[in-house]
């Protein structure tokens, strides 16, 4: 099967990494797979794709380049299925003919619920043969959104997946000291400032934050003012997150919302329990009391309380076992097969309608 993925870029992000992993598994299974990016932005997923020899074609110089329409058509000629990810790639690729699916990666976006976008959203969604959610939480929100805009496109779920290397990490149930790791862009959505504040209440713990973004300087200032320089570090972008995980006690997330919580799934695959928010999407990935502990309110006090509860020795050993068991739901092999089943279904439907 010839599969073409279309995405804004392969800069750092969960959707970008998912595309690279789906492409990798597609190639391994003998399919002809290509990734088309609207803009050639550098990032870790792009580097990984290059290292693995995944074919990448660049459609334009920016996300608003009017030449995208023509180039997308040329770069997707002969595809059995076109798989599109993220906005605005979703709008650009909606003009393409042939079997195509769109994957929604988040429970929130700025277009949902806004009257200004109702008609263009309906047009875009209705131009896809299937809309795929990366988890049950995303599917619930998608169905609400589709009903709100009057779209009749079928919505299905194909769970996101964890890259194979995370399952090969050498984990251990006892670690010296309490070492917390957060992974995510330094943006408002990830709320790293709250995690840093919680560290005031956890004097025996350290926190490393892997990721880059516009709030770096602000977070650096916060760390200095709180006198936490010896216990809180900003690591910047990290290539081998799977290797990094093995030296930590817990993964800590303070995100406002998550479509799936890929990093949480990756941490569990490496045997790390997760402390994070009880928000739609994330709570599908982390099982409360079994593979991690979730907080309802992202306050420093509640976050610190969940961390203290999670590291209690008998609780911690149970959560480690639960994390490893739960992670088996999220293998990338399973994710590819779920998406491949969608491709085959769409191709049959489109072929029979001609």
């Amino acid at each position: 099967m010839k599969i073409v993925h279309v995405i804004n870029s392969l800069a750092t992000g969960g959707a970008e990494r998912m595309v690279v992993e789906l492409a990798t598994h597609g190639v391994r299974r003998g399919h002809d797979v290509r990734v088309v990016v609207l803009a050639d932005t550098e990032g870790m997923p792009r580097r990984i794709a290059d290292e693995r020899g995944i074919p990448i074609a660049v459609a334009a110089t920016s996300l608003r380049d009017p030449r995208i329409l023509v180039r997308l058509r040329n770069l997707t000629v002969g595809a059995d299925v076109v798989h599109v990810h993220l906005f605005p790639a979703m709008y650009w690729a909606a003009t393409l003919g042939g079997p195509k699916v769109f994957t929604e990666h988040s429970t929130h976006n700025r277009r949902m619920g806004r009257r200004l976008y109702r008609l263009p959203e309906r047009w875009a969604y209705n131009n896809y043969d299937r809309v795929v959610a990366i988890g049950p939480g995303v599917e619930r929100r998608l169905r609400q959104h589709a009903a709100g805009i009057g779209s009749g496109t079928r919505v299905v779920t194909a769970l996101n997946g964890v890259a194979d290397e995370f399952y090969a990490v050498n984990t251990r149930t006892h670690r010296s000291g309490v070492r917390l790791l957060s992974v995510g862009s330094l943006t408002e959505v990830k709320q790293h400032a709250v995690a840093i504040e919680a560290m005031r209440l956890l004097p025996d713990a350290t926190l490393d934050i892997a990721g880059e973004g516009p709030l770096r300087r602000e977070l650096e200032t916060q760390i200095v003012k709180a006198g936490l320089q010896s216990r809180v570090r900003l690591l910047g972008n990290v290539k081998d997150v799977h290797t990094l995980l093995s030296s930590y006690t817990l993964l800590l997330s303070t995100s406002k919302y998550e479509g799936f919580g890929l990093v949480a799934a990756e941490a569990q695959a490496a045997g790390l329990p997760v402390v994070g928010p009880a928000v739609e999407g994330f709570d599908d990935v982390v099982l409360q009391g079994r593979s991690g502990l979730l907080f309802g309110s992202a306050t420093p006090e509640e976050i610190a309380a969940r961390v203290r509860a999670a590291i209690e020795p008998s609780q911690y050993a149970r959560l480690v076992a639960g994390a490893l068991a739960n992670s088996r739901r999220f293998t990338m092999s399973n994710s590819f097969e779920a998406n491949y089943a969608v491709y085959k279904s769409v191709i049959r439907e489109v072929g029979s309608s001609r």
Side-chain angles (χ1 to χ4, degrees):
M1 183 183 292
K2 184 174 182 178
I3 305 164
V4 178
H5 291 275
V6 178
I7 191 168
N8 298 339
S9 74
L10 289 179
T12 301
E16 292 82 354
R17 183 63 193 269
M18 175 182 168
V19 167
V20 172
E21 294 302 326
L22 285 177
T24 299
H25 278 256
V27 170
R28 287 177 183 170
R29 284 162 173 74
H31 300 288
D32 179 358
V33 186
R34 167 189 281 192
V35 177
V36 174
V37 294
L38 303 190
D40 194 14
T41 307
E42 181 61 31
M44 203 61 68
R46 174 59 193 255
R47 288 176 219 160
I48 294 170
D50 287 339
E51 289 171 1
R52 295 179 183 176
I54 303 297
I56 299 170
V58 182
T61 56
S62 76
L63 301 183
R64 291 177 174 81
D65 188 331
R67 295 172 295 178
I68 287 175
L69 286 174
V70 174
R71 290 181 175 177
L72 268 183
R73 290 191 183 101
N74 292 336
L75 291 169
T76 57
V77 167
D80 293 304
V81 65
V82 176
H83 189 166
V84 185
H85 310 258
L86 301 181
F87 174 89
M90 173 200 184
Y91 276 24
W92 287 113
T95 64
L96 299 174
K100 59 183 181 291
V101 303
F102 169 69
T103 287
E104 180 59 66
H105 291 263
S106 179
T107 54
H108 293 73
N109 66 55
R110 287 175 288 183
R111 306 182 313 282
M112 287 182 174
R114 295 180 63 181
R115 294 183 63 183
L116 176 66
Y117 283 97
R118 190 171 188 270
L119 290 178
E121 283 286 281
R122 182 197 302 164
W123 167 82
Y125 278 98
N126 284 347
N127 272 286
Y128 286 91
D129 301 293
R130 203 76 85 244
V131 179
V132 183
I134 62 170
V138 175
E139 181 177 347
R140 289 189 291 270
R141 292 303 298 269
L142 264 177
R143 291 188 181 281
Q144 293 170 6
H145 183 52
I149 62 176
S151 170
T153 300
R154 186 177 169 190
V155 178
V156 297
T157 290
L159 284 180
N160 199 352
V162 173
D164 299 340
E165 60 261 30
F166 286 88
Y167 291 95
V169 173
N170 181 22
T171 59
R172 55 188 189 279
T173 57
H174 176 73
R175 294 170 172 84
S176 58
V178 178
R179 303 193 66 208
L180 310 180
L181 176 68
S182 290
V183 181
S185 58
L186 307 185
T187 59
E188 291 287 350
V189 171
K190 299 303 181 182
Q191 300 190 119
H192 293 303
V194 182
I196 294 170
E197 280 300 306
M199 292 302 293
R200 292 175 179 266
L201 307 174
L202 297 165
D204 298 324
T206 63
L207 170 65
D208 287 347
I209 301 173
E212 199 52 82
L215 296 185
R216 168 174 272 277
R217 183 167 295 181
E218 184 177 318
L219 295 175
E220 287 174 338
T221 301
Q222 179 187 0
I223 292 167
V224 172
K225 285 184 176 179
L228 295 171
Q229 302 96 308
S230 64
R231 296 197 293 116
V232 179
R233 298 187 301 167
L234 303 181
L235 303 180
N237 287 328
V238 176
K239 179 181 179 181
D240 298 321
V241 174
H242 64 284
T243 302
L244 190 69
L245 286 168
S246 64
S247 60
Y248 290 88
T249 312
L250 296 170
L251 180 81
L252 173 62
S253 172
T254 49
S255 190
K256 286 182 183 178
Y257 56 82
E258 289 283 356
F260 176 77
L262 177 60
V263 175
E266 292 170 342
Q268 291 173 86
L272 252 66
V274 180
V275 170
V279 296
E280 198 168 38
F282 197 87
D283 60 4
D284 293 321
V285 175
V286 180
L287 303 181
Q288 172 70 302
R290 292 167 58 188
S291 66
L293 298 179
L294 305 177
F295 48 80
S297 177
T299 64
E301 293 76 16
E302 190 163 352
I303 292 167
R306 292 295 185 278
V307 169
R308 284 192 291 266
I311 61 175
E312 192 278 324
S314 60
Q315 170 100 300
Y316 184 70
R318 185 170 56 80
L319 291 177
V320 168
L324 288 167
N326 185 44
S327 74
R328 302 311 303 180
R329 295 192 291 148
F330 309 123
T331 65
M332 184 50 68
S333 178
N334 288 343
S335 183
F336 177 81
E337 292 302 332
N339 279 279
Y340 186 56
V342 174
Y343 302 159
K344 291 190 293 184
S345 175
V346 166
I347 291 169
R348 283 196 302 269
E349 289 177 13
V350 174
S352 64
S353 67
R354 288 177 175 171

